[in-house]
Amino acid sequence: MTETWGTCGFSTANKSVFNLKIENFQRMLKVLGQTGFYSPSFDVVGLDGKIHSAQLRFKQLTSYGGYPVIVISEVGTSRPMPEFVLFQVEVANIPEDLMLAGTIEMELNGKTILGSFGNAEQDMFEKTNISFMNQTSPVTITINNRNNSEFNDGSIFCVATTQDVLEMKVQLSTPGTLTSSTSLVPTNDQTVKQIGESRLLSDIKALLTSVDNYADFSIVCQGETFPCHEAILRARSPVFDKMFAQKLKEWTTREMIMDDVKKETVGHLLEYIYTSEVTKKVENDAELIYVADKYYIAGLMELCFRKLPEVEENKVVDILILADRHNLEDFKKLSMQRILKHKKKFLKDEDFVAKLKETPHILMDLFQL
């Protein structure tokens, strides 16, 4: 007799960060604001694990409900119409079933203004053309109708006409990648085995939280000591296993100095070794890929590769250079695909161009794709 077992769920939320600078913002609003103008496209990861393109749409607001706006008030302060303009920002040109939550941070009138829609932390996501709601500096408008009615729909931002450059940071989140699987398994003994394996994994994870009490080895990085266990390191990494088997200096001193990466990377490495996951935000993805390759931890390499489409664009060139240096062809190919997809944007990045000038052979590889 067999039973069918099914599992489904989400990975952790996929987050994409988009930094945008709009020059001649006032002129663009004046010329294109009535119909709206669009930002360059950027990538988000959907429930199906596929990469989808999205854009920001900016639209000037001069009327409401068909009536012209005659008075602007921002947090109770009057804003003269000739000196200030109104606009809205929405996420556009996305698949109808793409679920999103987002935040936006802009510098307006010398202040940092925040906006958002949905709430990724509370699993609140929205679909289709979605407007950012002004969270910091609510704007109230009065329109020229019979009653001179006032409105505040929350999606209006106010900017002085003297501000010609608009810079912003946008973060879009999707619920994560939906996973599901089914399998036929024997009952009784096999089921007991699965329960036992689950409990074993839980117990090993617990070792990481109580590591100070039972540790027999330490990794030291940037002055911080990370207690750990020889047996776990040897079981998870053939490189560590060989180091202990050959009874090198580290075996005698019970301490290993790891000075080629930052301490945050060591923390991520040990978390994966003990739990097969990385739960904290990774600031230096290239370093994590480096240690996963150096210590031959295949599962961590696979995790980094799966997360590569979500990595911020300013980190892609570092991953590309690392992948080229260490012959990580899959990472190199995917990094180059991301760069080529948004070639114009990358070529405007001075840091990106400077790093490629130091590795001209990578530049040649890009042109040959």
Side-chain angles (χ1 to χ4, degrees):
M1 178 181 175
T2 60
E3 290 184 2
T4 301
W5 287 69
T7 59
C8 63
F10 283 129
S11 64
T12 55
N14 295 316
K15 297 181 179 180
S16 300
V17 176
F18 179 48
N19 295 285
L20 178 64
K21 178 180 180 181
I22 305 176
E23 299 176 341
N24 307 120
F25 179 65
Q26 296 295 336
R27 185 162 182 257
M28 293 184 74
L29 269 184
K30 183 177 181 180
V31 176
L32 303 172
Q34 297 302 310
T35 56
F37 63 90
Y38 295 85
S39 73
S41 60
F42 56 100
D43 295 334
V44 293
V45 181
L47 289 174
D48 53 5
K50 296 180 179 179
I51 297 176
H52 302 279
S53 292
Q55 290 179 287
L56 299 179
R57 181 174 182 255
F58 299 85
K59 185 177 180 181
Q60 185 177 8
L61 185 71
T62 58
S63 63
Y64 193 87
Y67 296 97
V69 176
I70 55 174
V71 177
I72 302 173
S73 176
E74 185 179 18
V75 199
T77 301
S78 178
R79 300 298 192 189
M81 286 288 291
E83 300 174 18
F84 289 84
V85 292
L86 306 173
F87 69 97
Q88 296 169 304
V89 188
E90 65 179 22
V91 182
N93 295 332
I94 57 176
E96 291 184 357
D97 59 348
L98 187 62
M99 302 173 64
L100 292 173
T103 61
I104 188 170
E105 179 179 324
M106 298 182 284
E107 294 298 321
L108 297 178
N109 313 317
K111 299 185 298 183
T112 299
I113 304 299
L114 305 178
S116 66
F117 63 85
N119 188 320
E121 300 300 324
Q122 298 181 12
D123 286 331
M124 297 170 61
F125 299 91
E126 301 180 18
K127 295 182 180 180
T128 65
N129 293 344
I130 309 158
S131 293
F132 287 95
M133 308 302 286
N134 189 334
Q135 302 296 334
T136 307
S137 192
V139 176
T140 301
I141 58 174
T142 303
I143 61 173
N144 189 18
N145 64 0
R146 180 180 300 177
N147 301 316
N148 285 348
S149 304
E150 291 186 355
F151 293 94
N152 176 11
D153 71 359
S155 66
I156 304 172
F157 296 89
C158 179
V159 62
T161 54
T162 55
Q163 181 172 334
D164 203 36
V165 176
L166 181 61
E167 297 187 38
M168 65 190 65
K169 180 178 181 179
V170 174
Q171 178 175 288
L172 295 183
S173 302
T174 58
T177 304
L178 183 62
T179 60
S180 63
S181 64
T182 58
S183 59
L184 292 174
V185 296
T187 57
N188 301 326
D189 291 344
Q190 184 67 17
T191 303
V192 171
K193 181 182 177 182
Q194 289 177 334
I195 294 173
E197 289 173 348
S198 176
R199 288 176 178 167
L200 175 62
L201 179 59
S202 177
D203 291 341
I204 292 176
K205 286 182 179 181
L207 281 176
L208 187 61
T209 59
S210 58
V211 70
D212 289 333
N213 298 326
Y214 307 107
D216 58 4
F217 191 76
S218 296
I219 296 175
V220 179
C221 180
Q222 293 185 319
E224 184 168 339
T225 300
F226 296 84
C228 46
H229 305 84
E230 175 185 339
I232 300 295
L233 297 181
R234 296 185 72 163
R236 298 286 276 164
S237 164
V239 176
F240 281 127
D241 183 48
K242 187 175 181 180
M243 179 187 75
F244 287 112
Q246 293 180 346
K247 297 186 177 180
L248 300 178
K249 179 184 70 173
E250 291 83 0
W251 181 83
T252 304
T253 62
R254 309 309 295 169
E255 183 178 275
M256 175 183 178
I257 307 299
M258 197 176 288
D259 57 5
D260 52 351
V261 295
K262 294 182 174 62
K263 60 184 180 181
E264 291 80 9
T265 301
V266 176
H268 297 317
L269 173 66
L270 288 175
E271 182 185 15
Y272 184 83
I273 285 176
Y274 278 80
T275 70
S276 290
E277 59 184 1
V278 177
T279 58
K280 296 180 180 178
K281 179 176 175 56
V282 178
E283 296 295 342
N284 194 326
D285 295 85
E287 272 196 3
L288 189 58
I289 296 168
Y290 165 72
V291 293
D293 178 59
K294 180 178 180 179
Y295 296 102
Y296 207 75
I297 304 176
L300 182 55
M301 287 288 285
E302 293 170 5
L303 177 65
C304 291
F305 185 76
R306 193 167 66 248
K307 291 289 185 181
L308 185 52
E310 308 167 25
V311 170
E312 292 95 328
E313 290 181 348
N314 63 328
K315 298 180 181 179
V316 174
V317 65
D318 294 324
I319 295 174
L320 173 58
I321 293 171
L322 172 80
D324 177 75
R325 185 182 302 137
H326 293 273
N327 298 315
L328 305 175
E329 292 300 323
D330 289 339
F331 283 87
K332 182 177 179 180
K333 182 178 179 180
L334 186 55
S335 297
M336 289 195 296
Q337 287 175 349
R338 281 197 63 181
I339 291 170
L340 288 175
K341 187 173 182 180
H342 304 292
K343 181 169 58 177
K344 291 183 179 179
K345 185 191 303 182
F346 276 98
L347 290 176
K348 291 180 181 178
D349 186 332
E350 294 180 0
D351 184 58
F352 170 81
V353 173
K355 289 179 178 178
L356 279 194
K357 284 182 178 179
E358 297 175 1
T359 52
H361 65 284
I362 297 180
L363 192 60
M364 294 299 297
D365 290 342
L366 279 168
F367 281 118
Q368 290 174 4
L369 280 184

PDB file of all heavy atoms in Angstrom, residues 275-302:
ATOM      1  N   THR A 275      21.796  24.682   8.936  1.00  0.00           N
ATOM      2  CA  THR A 275      20.341  24.695   8.718  1.00  0.00           C
ATOM      3  C   THR A 275      19.906  24.546   7.262  1.00  0.00           C
ATOM      4  O   THR A 275      18.718  24.440   6.986  1.00  0.00           O
ATOM      5  CB  THR A 275      19.731  26.012   9.240  1.00  0.00           C
ATOM      6  OG1 THR A 275      20.153  27.094   8.389  1.00  0.00           O
ATOM      7  CG2 THR A 275      20.167  26.300  10.664  1.00  0.00           C
ATOM      8  N   SER A 276      20.858  24.597   6.330  1.00  0.00           N
ATOM      9  CA  SER A 276      20.550  24.534   4.891  1.00  0.00           C
ATOM     10  C   SER A 276      19.722  25.724   4.413  1.00  0.00           C
ATOM     11  O   SER A 276      18.990  25.634   3.440  1.00  0.00           O
ATOM     12  CB  SER A 276      19.826  23.232   4.527  1.00  0.00           C
ATOM     13  OG  SER A 276      20.708  22.139   4.639  1.00  0.00           O
ATOM     14  N   GLU A 277      19.841  26.855   5.097  1.00  0.00           N
ATOM     15  CA  GLU A 277      19.156  28.064   4.666  1.00  0.00           C
ATOM     16  C   GLU A 277      19.932  29.286   5.146  1.00  0.00           C
ATOM     17  O   GLU A 277      20.763  29.197   6.058  1.00  0.00           O
ATOM     18  CB  GLU A 277      17.716  28.106   5.195  1.00  0.00           C
ATOM     19  CG  GLU A 277      17.601  28.062   6.704  1.00  0.00           C
ATOM     20  CD  GLU A 277      16.155  27.999   7.177  1.00  0.00           C
ATOM     21  OE1 GLU A 277      15.254  27.968   6.330  1.00  0.00           O
ATOM     22  OE2 GLU A 277      15.937  27.985   8.400  1.00  0.00           O
ATOM     23  N   VAL A 278      19.657  30.409   4.476  1.00  0.00           N
ATOM     24  CA  VAL A 278      20.233  31.695   4.870  1.00  0.00           C
ATOM     25  C   VAL A 278      19.062  32.644   5.068  1.00  0.00           C
ATOM     26  O   VAL A 278      18.393  33.020   4.100  1.00  0.00           O
ATOM     27  CB  VAL A 278      21.206  32.245   3.804  1.00  0.00           C
ATOM     28  CG1 VAL A 278      21.728  33.621   4.214  1.00  0.00           C
ATOM     29  CG2 VAL A 278      22.365  31.284   3.583  1.00  0.00           C
ATOM     30  N   THR A 279      18.799  33.022   6.297  1.00  0.00           N
ATOM     31  CA  THR A 279      17.586  33.783   6.598  1.00  0.00           C
ATOM     32  C   THR A 279      17.818  35.287   6.671  1.00  0.00           C
ATOM     33  O   THR A 279      16.885  36.062   6.496  1.00  0.00           O
ATOM     34  CB  THR A 279      16.983  33.314   7.934  1.00  0.00           C
ATOM     35  OG1 THR A 279      17.965  33.476   8.973  1.00  0.00           O
ATOM     36  CG2 THR A 279      16.572  31.853   7.856  1.00  0.00           C
ATOM     37  N   LYS A 280      19.050  35.706   6.923  1.00  0.00           N
ATOM     38  CA  LYS A 280      19.329  37.135   7.040  1.00  0.00           C
ATOM     39  C   LYS A 280      19.711  37.718   5.676  1.00  0.00           C
ATOM     40  O   LYS A 280      20.164  36.999   4.793  1.00  0.00           O
ATOM     41  CB  LYS A 280      20.455  37.379   8.050  1.00  0.00           C
ATOM     42  CG  LYS A 280      20.095  36.951   9.468  1.00  0.00           C
ATOM     43  CD  LYS A 280      21.252  37.210  10.427  1.00  0.00           C
ATOM     44  CE  LYS A 280      20.897  36.779  11.838  1.00  0.00           C
ATOM     45  NZ  LYS A 280      22.017  36.976  12.788  1.00  0.00           N
ATOM     46  N   LYS A 281      19.542  39.017   5.530  1.00  0.00           N
ATOM     47  CA  LYS A 281      19.868  39.698   4.278  1.00  0.00           C
ATOM     48  C   LYS A 281      21.370  39.606   4.007  1.00  0.00           C
ATOM     49  O   LYS A 281      22.188  39.883   4.875  1.00  0.00           O
ATOM     50  CB  LYS A 281      19.443  41.165   4.318  1.00  0.00           C
ATOM     51  CG  LYS A 281      19.775  41.948   3.058  1.00  0.00           C
ATOM     52  CD  LYS A 281      19.239  43.354   3.123  1.00  0.00           C
ATOM     53  CE  LYS A 281      19.665  44.179   1.913  1.00  0.00           C
ATOM     54  NZ  LYS A 281      19.275  43.574   0.636  1.00  0.00           N
ATOM     55  N   VAL A 282      21.704  39.224   2.788  1.00  0.00           N
ATOM     56  CA  VAL A 282      23.100  39.113   2.379  1.00  0.00           C
ATOM     57  C   VAL A 282      23.532  40.423   1.737  1.00  0.00           C
ATOM     58  O   VAL A 282      22.987  40.833   0.717  1.00  0.00           O
ATOM     59  CB  VAL A 282      23.289  37.941   1.385  1.00  0.00           C
ATOM     60  CG1 VAL A 282      24.740  37.865   0.926  1.00  0.00           C
ATOM     61  CG2 VAL A 282      22.855  36.627   2.021  1.00  0.00           C
ATOM     62  N   GLU A 283      24.526  41.073   2.328  1.00  0.00           N
ATOM     63  CA  GLU A 283      25.008  42.350   1.797  1.00  0.00           C
ATOM     64  C   GLU A 283      26.055  42.146   0.705  1.00  0.00           C
ATOM     65  O   GLU A 283      26.174  42.945  -0.206  1.00  0.00           O
ATOM     66  CB  GLU A 283      25.589  43.208   2.920  1.00  0.00           C
ATOM     67  CG  GLU A 283      24.579  43.621   3.977  1.00  0.00           C
ATOM     68  CD  GLU A 283      23.498  44.529   3.436  1.00  0.00           C
ATOM     69  OE1 GLU A 283      23.696  45.126   2.355  1.00  0.00           O
ATOM     70  OE2 GLU A 283      22.430  44.631   4.077  1.00  0.00           O
ATOM     71  N   ASN A 284      26.849  41.087   0.823  1.00  0.00           N
ATOM     72  CA  ASN A 284      27.913  40.829  -0.157  1.00  0.00           C
ATOM     73  C   ASN A 284      27.706  39.446  -0.757  1.00  0.00           C
ATOM     74  O   ASN A 284      28.249  38.448  -0.283  1.00  0.00           O
ATOM     75  CB  ASN A 284      29.286  40.942   0.514  1.00  0.00           C
ATOM     76  CG  ASN A 284      30.416  41.031  -0.498  1.00  0.00           C
ATOM     77  OD1 ASN A 284      30.350  40.427  -1.575  1.00  0.00           O
ATOM     78  ND2 ASN A 284      31.448  41.788  -0.175  1.00  0.00           N
ATOM     79  N   ASP A 285      26.902  39.395  -1.827  1.00  0.00           N
ATOM     80  CA  ASP A 285      26.576  38.112  -2.458  1.00  0.00           C
ATOM     81  C   ASP A 285      27.813  37.468  -3.072  1.00  0.00           C
ATOM     82  O   ASP A 285      27.946  36.241  -3.074  1.00  0.00           O
ATOM     83  CB  ASP A 285      25.506  38.323  -3.522  1.00  0.00           C
ATOM     84  CG  ASP A 285      24.191  38.796  -2.928  1.00  0.00           C
ATOM     85  OD1 ASP A 285      24.037  40.008  -2.732  1.00  0.00           O
ATOM     86  OD2 ASP A 285      23.337  37.955  -2.639  1.00  0.00           O
ATOM     87  N   ALA A 286      28.704  38.285  -3.627  1.00  0.00           N
ATOM     88  CA  ALA A 286      29.911  37.745  -4.261  1.00  0.00           C
ATOM     89  C   ALA A 286      30.764  36.992  -3.243  1.00  0.00           C
ATOM     90  O   ALA A 286      31.305  35.923  -3.539  1.00  0.00           O
ATOM     91  CB  ALA A 286      30.714  38.860  -4.916  1.00  0.00           C
ATOM     92  N   GLU A 287      30.890  37.531  -2.026  1.00  0.00           N
ATOM     93  CA  GLU A 287      31.661  36.849  -0.986  1.00  0.00           C
ATOM     94  C   GLU A 287      31.038  35.519  -0.600  1.00  0.00           C
ATOM     95  O   GLU A 287      31.751  34.532  -0.378  1.00  0.00           O
ATOM     96  CB  GLU A 287      31.764  37.741   0.259  1.00  0.00           C
ATOM     97  CG  GLU A 287      32.927  38.687   0.245  1.00  0.00           C
ATOM     98  CD  GLU A 287      33.233  39.259   1.622  1.00  0.00           C
ATOM     99  OE1 GLU A 287      32.564  38.877   2.609  1.00  0.00           O
ATOM    100  OE2 GLU A 287      34.145  40.077   1.702  1.00  0.00           O
ATOM    101  N   LEU A 288      29.716  35.484  -0.499  1.00  0.00           N
ATOM    102  CA  LEU A 288      29.051  34.234  -0.112  1.00  0.00           C
ATOM    103  C   LEU A 288      29.254  33.171  -1.188  1.00  0.00           C
ATOM    104  O   LEU A 288      29.485  31.992  -0.883  1.00  0.00           O
ATOM    105  CB  LEU A 288      27.557  34.483   0.128  1.00  0.00           C
ATOM    106  CG  LEU A 288      26.783  33.318   0.741  1.00  0.00           C
ATOM    107  CD1 LEU A 288      27.394  32.900   2.075  1.00  0.00           C
ATOM    108  CD2 LEU A 288      25.319  33.684   0.932  1.00  0.00           C
ATOM    109  N   ILE A 289      29.177  33.571  -2.444  1.00  0.00           N
ATOM    110  CA  ILE A 289      29.453  32.631  -3.540  1.00  0.00           C
ATOM    111  C   ILE A 289      30.891  32.144  -3.453  1.00  0.00           C
ATOM    112  O   ILE A 289      31.191  30.960  -3.651  1.00  0.00           O
ATOM    113  CB  ILE A 289      29.181  33.299  -4.901  1.00  0.00           C
ATOM    114  CG1 ILE A 289      27.692  33.640  -5.038  1.00  0.00           C
ATOM    115  CG2 ILE A 289      29.627  32.394  -6.053  1.00  0.00           C
ATOM    116  CD1 ILE A 289      27.373  34.549  -6.213  1.00  0.00           C
ATOM    117  N   TYR A 290      31.793  33.071  -3.127  1.00  0.00           N
ATOM    118  CA  TYR A 290      33.216  32.731  -3.019  1.00  0.00           C
ATOM    119  C   TYR A 290      33.460  31.658  -1.966  1.00  0.00           C
ATOM    120  O   TYR A 290      34.158  30.660  -2.214  1.00  0.00           O
ATOM    121  CB  TYR A 290      34.012  34.001  -2.704  1.00  0.00           C
ATOM    122  CG  TYR A 290      35.409  33.759  -2.210  1.00  0.00           C
ATOM    123  CD1 TYR A 290      36.413  33.304  -3.067  1.00  0.00           C
ATOM    124  CD2 TYR A 290      35.736  33.992  -0.867  1.00  0.00           C
ATOM    125  CE1 TYR A 290      37.701  33.079  -2.597  1.00  0.00           C
ATOM    126  CE2 TYR A 290      37.018  33.771  -0.398  1.00  0.00           C
ATOM    127  CZ  TYR A 290      37.998  33.316  -1.262  1.00  0.00           C
ATOM    128  OH  TYR A 290      39.267  33.090  -0.798  1.00  0.00           O
ATOM    129  N   VAL A 291      32.900  31.830  -0.745  1.00  0.00           N
ATOM    130  CA  VAL A 291      33.153  30.839   0.306  1.00  0.00           C
ATOM    131  C   VAL A 291      32.437  29.525   0.012  1.00  0.00           C
ATOM    132  O   VAL A 291      32.937  28.454   0.353  1.00  0.00           O
ATOM    133  CB  VAL A 291      32.761  31.375   1.702  1.00  0.00           C
ATOM    134  CG1 VAL A 291      33.661  32.511   2.110  1.00  0.00           C
ATOM    135  CG2 VAL A 291      31.302  31.779   1.774  1.00  0.00           C
ATOM    136  N   ALA A 292      31.272  29.588  -0.616  1.00  0.00           N
ATOM    137  CA  ALA A 292      30.567  28.355  -0.985  1.00  0.00           C
ATOM    138  C   ALA A 292      31.401  27.538  -1.958  1.00  0.00           C
ATOM    139  O   ALA A 292      31.490  26.305  -1.853  1.00  0.00           O
ATOM    140  CB  ALA A 292      29.209  28.696  -1.600  1.00  0.00           C
ATOM    141  N   ASP A 293      32.047  28.224  -2.890  1.00  0.00           N
ATOM    142  CA  ASP A 293      32.919  27.544  -3.851  1.00  0.00           C
ATOM    143  C   ASP A 293      34.205  27.079  -3.185  1.00  0.00           C
ATOM    144  O   ASP A 293      34.662  25.949  -3.409  1.00  0.00           O
ATOM    145  CB  ASP A 293      33.229  28.492  -5.017  1.00  0.00           C
ATOM    146  CG  ASP A 293      34.162  27.873  -6.046  1.00  0.00           C
ATOM    147  OD1 ASP A 293      33.799  26.828  -6.609  1.00  0.00           O
ATOM    148  OD2 ASP A 293      35.254  28.438  -6.284  1.00  0.00           O
ATOM    149  N   LYS A 294      34.791  27.930  -2.349  1.00  0.00           N
ATOM    150  CA  LYS A 294      36.070  27.598  -1.710  1.00  0.00           C
ATOM    151  C   LYS A 294      35.959  26.358  -0.835  1.00  0.00           C
ATOM    152  O   LYS A 294      36.866  25.504  -0.830  1.00  0.00           O
ATOM    153  CB  LYS A 294      36.544  28.786  -0.880  1.00  0.00           C
ATOM    154  CG  LYS A 294      37.869  28.546  -0.161  1.00  0.00           C
ATOM    155  CD  LYS A 294      38.317  29.780   0.606  1.00  0.00           C
ATOM    156  CE  LYS A 294      39.644  29.538   1.317  1.00  0.00           C
ATOM    157  NZ  LYS A 294      40.110  30.749   2.045  1.00  0.00           N
ATOM    158  N   TYR A 295      34.868  26.253  -0.083  1.00  0.00           N
ATOM    159  CA  TYR A 295      34.704  25.121   0.830  1.00  0.00           C
ATOM    160  C   TYR A 295      33.813  24.023   0.232  1.00  0.00           C
ATOM    161  O   TYR A 295      33.409  23.102   0.922  1.00  0.00           O
ATOM    162  CB  TYR A 295      34.168  25.607   2.179  1.00  0.00           C
ATOM    163  CG  TYR A 295      35.165  26.519   2.858  1.00  0.00           C
ATOM    164  CD1 TYR A 295      34.983  27.899   2.836  1.00  0.00           C
ATOM    165  CD2 TYR A 295      36.313  26.011   3.447  1.00  0.00           C
ATOM    166  CE1 TYR A 295      35.922  28.743   3.417  1.00  0.00           C
ATOM    167  CE2 TYR A 295      37.252  26.850   4.033  1.00  0.00           C
ATOM    168  CZ  TYR A 295      37.055  28.215   4.003  1.00  0.00           C
ATOM    169  OH  TYR A 295      37.992  29.060   4.567  1.00  0.00           O
ATOM    170  N   TYR A 296      33.533  24.158  -1.033  1.00  0.00           N
ATOM    171  CA  TYR A 296      32.836  23.139  -1.814  1.00  0.00           C
ATOM    172  C   TYR A 296      31.517  22.716  -1.163  1.00  0.00           C
ATOM    173  O   TYR A 296      31.268  21.541  -0.896  1.00  0.00           O
ATOM    174  CB  TYR A 296      33.735  21.912  -2.032  1.00  0.00           C
ATOM    175  CG  TYR A 296      33.384  21.161  -3.302  1.00  0.00           C
ATOM    176  CD1 TYR A 296      33.739  21.667  -4.547  1.00  0.00           C
ATOM    177  CD2 TYR A 296      32.677  19.967  -3.247  1.00  0.00           C
ATOM    178  CE1 TYR A 296      33.395  20.994  -5.715  1.00  0.00           C
ATOM    179  CE2 TYR A 296      32.328  19.289  -4.403  1.00  0.00           C
ATOM    180  CZ  TYR A 296      32.686  19.809  -5.632  1.00  0.00           C
ATOM    181  OH  TYR A 296      32.340  19.156  -6.777  1.00  0.00           O
ATOM    182  N   ILE A 297      30.678  23.720  -0.913  1.00  0.00           N
ATOM    183  CA  ILE A 297      29.360  23.462  -0.321  1.00  0.00           C
ATOM    184  C   ILE A 297      28.332  23.619  -1.439  1.00  0.00           C
ATOM    185  O   ILE A 297      27.853  24.721  -1.732  1.00  0.00           O
ATOM    186  CB  ILE A 297      29.090  24.420   0.851  1.00  0.00           C
ATOM    187  CG1 ILE A 297      30.220  24.281   1.885  1.00  0.00           C
ATOM    188  CG2 ILE A 297      27.744  24.127   1.493  1.00  0.00           C
ATOM    189  CD1 ILE A 297      30.132  25.240   3.045  1.00  0.00           C
ATOM    190  N   ALA A 298      28.018  22.511  -2.082  1.00  0.00           N
ATOM    191  CA  ALA A 298      27.220  22.533  -3.310  1.00  0.00           C
ATOM    192  C   ALA A 298      25.836  23.127  -3.091  1.00  0.00           C
ATOM    193  O   ALA A 298      25.334  23.891  -3.919  1.00  0.00           O
ATOM    194  CB  ALA A 298      27.105  21.117  -3.880  1.00  0.00           C
ATOM    195  N   GLY A 299      25.207  22.793  -1.965  1.00  0.00           N
ATOM    196  CA  GLY A 299      23.862  23.301  -1.711  1.00  0.00           C
ATOM    197  C   GLY A 299      23.829  24.819  -1.595  1.00  0.00           C
ATOM    198  O   GLY A 299      22.903  25.469  -2.069  1.00  0.00           O
ATOM    199  N   LEU A 300      24.850  25.395  -0.968  1.00  0.00           N
ATOM    200  CA  LEU A 300      24.919  26.851  -0.838  1.00  0.00           C
ATOM    201  C   LEU A 300      25.165  27.496  -2.197  1.00  0.00           C
ATOM    202  O   LEU A 300      24.615  28.565  -2.493  1.00  0.00           O
ATOM    203  CB  LEU A 300      26.017  27.241   0.149  1.00  0.00           C
ATOM    204  CG  LEU A 300      26.191  28.736   0.432  1.00  0.00           C
ATOM    205  CD1 LEU A 300      24.881  29.356   0.896  1.00  0.00           C
ATOM    206  CD2 LEU A 300      27.278  28.973   1.470  1.00  0.00           C
ATOM    207  N   MET A 301      25.958  26.851  -3.034  1.00  0.00           N
ATOM    208  CA  MET A 301      26.167  27.353  -4.397  1.00  0.00           C
ATOM    209  C   MET A 301      24.842  27.377  -5.161  1.00  0.00           C
ATOM    210  O   MET A 301      24.518  28.348  -5.856  1.00  0.00           O
ATOM    211  CB  MET A 301      27.175  26.480  -5.136  1.00  0.00           C
ATOM    212  CG  MET A 301      28.603  26.658  -4.666  1.00  0.00           C
ATOM    213  SD  MET A 301      29.322  28.236  -5.179  1.00  0.00           S
ATOM    214  CE  MET A 301      29.631  27.900  -6.903  1.00  0.00           C
ATOM    215  N   GLU A 302      24.055  26.323  -5.018  1.00  0.00           N
ATOM    216  CA  GLU A 302      22.756  26.256  -5.702  1.00  0.00           C
ATOM    217  C   GLU A 302      21.819  27.343  -5.193  1.00  0.00           C
ATOM    218  O   GLU A 302      21.088  27.969  -5.967  1.00  0.00           O
ATOM    219  CB  GLU A 302      22.137  24.876  -5.491  1.00  0.00           C
ATOM    220  CG  GLU A 302      22.898  23.746  -6.182  1.00  0.00           C
ATOM    221  CD  GLU A 302      22.406  22.380  -5.766  1.00  0.00           C
ATOM    222  OE1 GLU A 302      21.412  22.317  -5.007  1.00  0.00           O
ATOM    223  OE2 GLU A 302      23.014  21.365  -6.180  1.00  0.00           O
TER     224      GLU A 302
END
